[in-house]
């Protein structure tokens, strides 16, 4: 059984050669490999002794690394408090309740151990513990006024990339779609990515979150570059792709495509789990800069309408969105196809091969092939398209402009399985 990080080919990115600037905004410490979660206490002790551990009941019961993190905190002499009330999809009420239970006792660092919802809850608690006001004051991009309490993130699923990203997503009942808070101040101070923590991840969570990671990488790689965006720093959080984000996106696709197939067959194979978590982390870095696009914009209203998991929705949508934008991103799709060893053929055929490959992997992982399968109806299509078109921070990242009619066309095709 191999636990090596997958060997990767350097990306062949002709189209990015014209971009004159590149940048990375990542946690100052990123540790990857079996066993790194067991050092969480030592990493957290750099930031203080008063530690809040943020997690949920499932992780505390079923993920062995949870106890290892608490033991390590004990050994470093930390004064540890635990909050296990993080909830799936981060309802705003759950964050406010967690915050209220903290009272006036100071917290110096938060250790988050769990999936994306746990890490996002920790980021939002760090925000509330550092700045006055309500979470609604910070909705959108770059509204957080300054640094937040340090978060040490230990992911137990491979998908959201929240451990390296500047984003926290929450559900607010006052809005019809999920809300994101994106700010460079929400990037965790350390990401400890330990594939052993994902060994107990159930098959459906592995499939949905793994496909989510693959879509993060694809949408980041297909995003148009915006060479001037860097001059407005900090400004918008998502600044288009750049050669550094491309390196991470390409590495993610190369790790995830074979890794997801293998992890499906052998869920306890640490080598396969390593590839998928590595891909998910790389995809997180890539979309933290480039942003995500059409599949994510459509999934926000579809997720609200159907109550289906985020990864399931983006996985169903991805082949339809990719097919729709394919002629505007032929070179990029062909590059990815070549990295995955597609048979020699024309650029256009290689782009089609790549779209088919995403559909094939989704099917293999048990992802339904139509939106009808998750309860979307034909008369929902227009409203979904209208709601998605308002999420300009995502639609602007599409290589093909997406207005309401474009988005409705994609939804209708995905409904029928066209
Ligand atoms: Zn996603």
């Amino acid at each position: 059984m191999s636990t090596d990080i997958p060997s990767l080919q350097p990306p062949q990115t002709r189209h990015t050669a014209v971009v004159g600037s590149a940048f990375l905004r990542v946690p100052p410490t990123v540790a990857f490999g079996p066993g790194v979660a067991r050092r969480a206490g030592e990493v957290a002790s750099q930031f203080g002794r008063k530690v809040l551990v943020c997690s949920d009941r499932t992780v505390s019961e079923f993920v062995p690394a949870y106890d290892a993190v608490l033991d390590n905190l004990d050994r470093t002499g930390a004064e540890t408090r635990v909050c296990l009330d993080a909830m799936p999809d981060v309802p705003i009420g759950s964050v406010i309740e967690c915050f209220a239970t903290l009272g006036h006792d100071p917290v110096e660092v938060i250790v988050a151990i769990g999936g994306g919802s746990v890490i996002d809850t920790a980021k939002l608690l760090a925000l509330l513990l550092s700045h006055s006001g309500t979470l609604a004051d910070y909705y959108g991009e770059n509204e957080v006024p300054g640094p937040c309490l340090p978060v040490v993130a230990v992911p137990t699923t491979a998908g959201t990339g929240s451990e390296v990203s500047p984003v926290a997503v929450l559900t607010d009942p006052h809005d019809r779609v999920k809300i994101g808070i994106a700010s460079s101040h929400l990037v965790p101070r350390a990401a400890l990515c330990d594939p052993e923590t994902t060994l107990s991840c159930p098959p459906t969570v592995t499939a949905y979150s793994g496909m989510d990671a693959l879509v993060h990488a694809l949408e980041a790689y297909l995003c148009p570059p915006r060479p001037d965006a860097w001059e407005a720093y900090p400004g918008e959080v998502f600044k288009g792709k750049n050669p550094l984000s491309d390196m991470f996106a390409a590495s993610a696709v190369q790790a995830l495509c074979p890794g997801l197939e293998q992890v499906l067959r052998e869920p306890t194979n640490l080598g396969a789990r390593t590839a998928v978590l590595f891909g998910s982390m790389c995809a997180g870095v890539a979309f933290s800069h480039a942003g995500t696009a059409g599949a994510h914009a459509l999934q926000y209203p579809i997720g609200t309408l159907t109550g289906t998991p985020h990864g399931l929705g983006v996985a169903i949508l991805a082949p339809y969105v990719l097919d729709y934008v394919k002629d505007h991103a032929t070179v990029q799709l062909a590059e990815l196809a070549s990295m995955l060893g597609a048979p020699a053929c024309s650029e256009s055929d290689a782009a089609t091969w790549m779209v088919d490959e995403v559909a094939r992997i989704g099917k293999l992982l048990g992802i339904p092939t139509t939106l009808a399968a998750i309860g979307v109806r034909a008369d929902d299509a227009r409203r979904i398209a209208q709601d998605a078109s308002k999420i300009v921070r995502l639609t602007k990242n599409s290589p093909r402009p997406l207005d309401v009619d474009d988005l409705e066309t994609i939804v209708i095709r995905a409904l029928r399985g066209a």
Side-chain angles (χ1 to χ4, degrees), residues 159-160 209 211-213 215-216 219 287 292 296 299-300 310-311 314:
T160 66
S209 52
M211 284 301 291
D212 184 29
V215 181
H216 291 160
E219 294 200 319
F287 92 78
T292 54
H296 277 77
Q299 168 51 25
Y300 275 87
H310 171 84
V314 294

Side-chain angles (χ1 to χ4, degrees), residues 56-259:
D56 63 33
R57 285 169 210 290
T58 307
V59 169
S60 71
E61 268 183 50
F62 297 109
V63 179
Y66 175 82
D67 289 334
V69 167
L70 287 188
D71 285 350
N72 193 239
L73 283 164
D74 266 359
R75 265 204 298 280
T76 59
E79 292 173 30
T80 304
R81 305 171 65 189
V82 173
C83 170
L84 295 180
D85 296 326
M87 305 271 290
D89 297 324
V90 196
I92 189 169
S94 70
V95 183
I96 293 167
E97 262 176 49
C98 287
F99 180 62
T101 62
L102 297 177
H104 295 293
D105 291 345
V107 175
E108 292 172 318
V109 51
I110 302 178
V111 174
I113 170 162
S117 294
V118 165
I119 298 173
D120 284 359
T121 299
K123 289 177 177 181
L124 297 170
L125 288 172
L127 169 57
L128 289 173
L129 285 163
S130 310
H131 300 285
S132 58
T134 67
L135 289 173
D137 296 334
Y138 307 111
Y139 288 172
E141 267 187 273
N142 203 30
E143 296 295 331
V144 179
C148 298
L149 217 60
V151 171
V152 174
V154 183
T156 59
T157 60
T160 66
S162 186
E163 69 275 13
V164 291
S165 86
V167 185
V169 178
L170 68 151
T171 309
D172 185 335
H174 296 299
D175 292 277
R176 278 170 50 194
V177 294
K178 280 186 168 184
I179 299 290
I181 298 180
S183 163
S184 53
H185 299 302
L186 293 188
V187 178
R189 223 57 71 82
L192 306 180
C193 305
D194 184 339
E196 287 178 353
T197 67
T198 64
L199 283 170
S200 53
C201 191
T204 43
V205 178
T206 301
Y208 297 169
S209 52
M211 284 301 291
D212 184 29
L214 180 57
V215 181
H216 291 160
L218 292 164
E219 294 200 319
Y221 199 79
L222 268 54
C223 175
R226 283 183 280 141
D228 297 337
W230 173 242
E231 288 166 17
Y233 190 82
E236 291 169 299
V237 173
F238 303 116
K239 296 173 179 299
K241 69 189 237 150
N242 69 66
L244 287 167
S245 72
D246 267 1
M247 285 173 53
F248 281 90
S251 297
V253 172
Q254 290 176 83
L256 286 166
C257 286

